[in-house]
Amino acid sequence: MADSPELGALWEDFHRVVNMTSQELDSWLRTRDAGELTEPLPDQAGPPLGQQVLAILRKRRTDLTDEDVRVMSKVVEMVSGQTDMANEPEPERTSRRHALMSIGHDPLKP
């Protein structure tokens, strides 16, 4: 994938909205999928989109694929449209926070 000003802007936006480190996201995905009886292999924990975000966090910008760029755009759009939780009741707020954390954004993190 060729580097361009648009890719640079998307890279910056992605890293602005994905405010969890790769270690934090990896840990969250494993915790989220942990069950009493079964749990997936560590590299398969969490939803596919969360795994894709984790893979992107572990890459350099020059190593991005076209699919990575699509995922980054999707995540930026999703997070940008879902971060205002101030007036939601606690159960919905917690559920939305956990969903956002599964793609690398913790709305309670400064």
Side-chain angles (χ1 to χ4, degrees):
M1 166 118 257
D3 206 0
S4 68
E6 294 85 14
L7 180 59
L10 177 59
W11 179 260
E12 293 299 319
D13 287 344
F14 177 79
H15 281 85
R16 178 182 45 79
V17 300
V18 175
N19 62 0
M20 296 170 71
T21 66
S22 59
Q23 294 86 4
E24 290 170 330
L25 179 56
D26 186 45
S27 177
W28 170 252
L29 294 176
R30 289 179 192 207
T31 301
R32 190 84 171 137
D33 260 9
E36 289 183 28
L37 302 177
T38 63
E39 62 185 75
L41 295 171
D43 62 340
Q44 297 172 352
L49 185 57
Q51 283 296 321
Q52 290 172 307
V53 169
L54 184 58
I56 292 168
L57 288 174
R58 293 176 172 161
K59 290 184 176 187
R60 297 177 303 179
R61 187 167 78 186
T62 57
D63 296 332
L64 296 174
T65 65
D66 289 338
E67 178 62 20
D68 293 333
V69 171
R70 282 189 286 278
V71 167
M72 290 167 56
S73 294
K74 181 177 182 175
V75 168
V76 168
E77 186 177 308
M78 288 174 69
V79 172
S80 297
Q82 299 221 9
T83 55
D84 184 20
M85 299 185 291
N87 297 321
E88 291 182 351
E90 184 61 34
E92 287 82 7
R93 187 174 26 226
T94 298
S95 176
R96 183 166 310 183
R97 177 180 182 230
H98 289 176
L100 287 168
M101 288 175 67
S102 291
I103 58 171
H105 177 78
D106 185 350
L108 299 183
K109 197 173 181 183

